[in-house]
Amino acid sequence: MTTALVTGATAGIGAAFARRLARDGHNLVLVARDAQRLRSTAAELHDRHGIEAAVLVADLAGDAGIAAVEERLGDRRHPVDLLVNNAGFGLKGSYPDVPMDDELRMLKVHCEAVLRLTTAAVVSMRERRRGGVVNVASVAAFVPRGTYGASKAWVVQFTQGAARDMAGNGVRLMALCPGFVRTEFHERARMGTKSIPEWMWLDADKVVDAGLRDLARGRTVSIPDPRYKALLGAAKLVPRGALGGITSRAGRKYGPRREAPGADTPGG
């Protein structure tokens, strides 16, 4: 039986990955900051699907948390076959009004943690010549949206480059780029969402299903909804800032207030 490790696994896209992978028969290592929610999620998935679900409490905004997950990914006796780097968070407010400490914390979670955990996973996977990594990014990677969009653009570029370098080694890497997903993300960051059209909202379970299909097909970037594919295609024909306006308005609505790291990445 294969094992998948999911960060940000207690809500939103991370929880949807955990549910789907458990249903498919994968053992799980669930990573998040909230020990109680982790244990509750693990117990539910074990009871419902008969899989083993281990918990690893870790804050990926700090070196100790990242190192703990690196160590688990490097355990050759209990190898991880699929890594889902999903942990992330949003910040309200516009540059340069967001506190610098919060911006740096975001880069730690979205970029450094993704780099280190992906590397720890693929080194082991390359030895076994099999495995996969899904790095959850966002359509915000393709539009200007401050540090959040820039960090997700880094995730996409890094993942594509790593996938090219790992070609022929039996390891697949993919950046998953959803749009706005109905999760706890915006509520935790206290972001307003009334300006977001209803048609732009996606379901987390459908996002995961589409992403796993694209991973199986060998794609390195997945935009898991035809509406967003069309929107990004149209964005190539309009000024670059037009598409970013919607997400910028949502992020600014209530002014700068930080969200502590570890919430699930929503996409938009």
Side-chain angles (χ1 to χ4, degrees), residues 72-147:
R72 177 60 186 86
L73 289 167
D75 186 348
R76 267 57 170 185
R77 297 170 303 169
H78 304 96
V80 169
D81 303 282
L82 175 65
L83 166 65
V84 179
N85 275 315
N86 167 74
F89 64 99
L91 296 171
K92 289 203 313 182
S94 301
Y95 174 84
D97 298 325
V98 176
M100 183 57 64
D101 285 348
D102 295 341
E103 297 271 39
L104 293 174
R105 200 170 287 113
M106 174 179 281
L107 293 176
K108 186 85 168 181
V109 176
H110 290 186
C111 299
E112 182 178 338
V114 168
L115 171 63
R116 290 172 58 179
L117 300 189
T118 298
T119 303
V122 301
V123 167
S124 176
M125 292 173 182
R126 182 174 59 182
E127 293 176 359
R128 305 192 310 276
R129 301 194 64 81
R130 63 182 176 86
V133 177
V134 176
N135 290 328
V136 179
S138 169
V139 294
F142 307 107
V143 297
R145 180 61 182 94
T147 304

Side-chain angles (χ1 to χ4, degrees), residues 165-229:
D165 292 341
M166 294 299 295
N169 287 284
V171 183
R172 294 180 177 181
L173 295 97
M174 185 189 78
L176 177 60
C177 301
F180 291 98
V181 182
R182 292 203 180 278
T183 70
E184 299 176 5
F185 178 91
H186 296 92
E187 181 181 354
R188 286 183 176 185
R190 300 187 67 180
M191 292 180 180
T193 58
K194 291 183 179 179
S195 63
I196 310 302
E198 183 64 27
W199 68 266
M200 295 186 75
W201 290 101
L202 305 177
D203 175 78
D205 292 308
K206 292 180 180 178
V207 166
V208 168
D209 291 344
L212 289 175
R213 284 196 300 270
D214 283 344
L215 180 67
R217 292 167 179 159
R219 294 180 179 173
T220 59
V221 176
S222 171
I223 300 171
D225 187 271
R227 293 168 291 181
Y228 277 96
K229 291 177 182 177

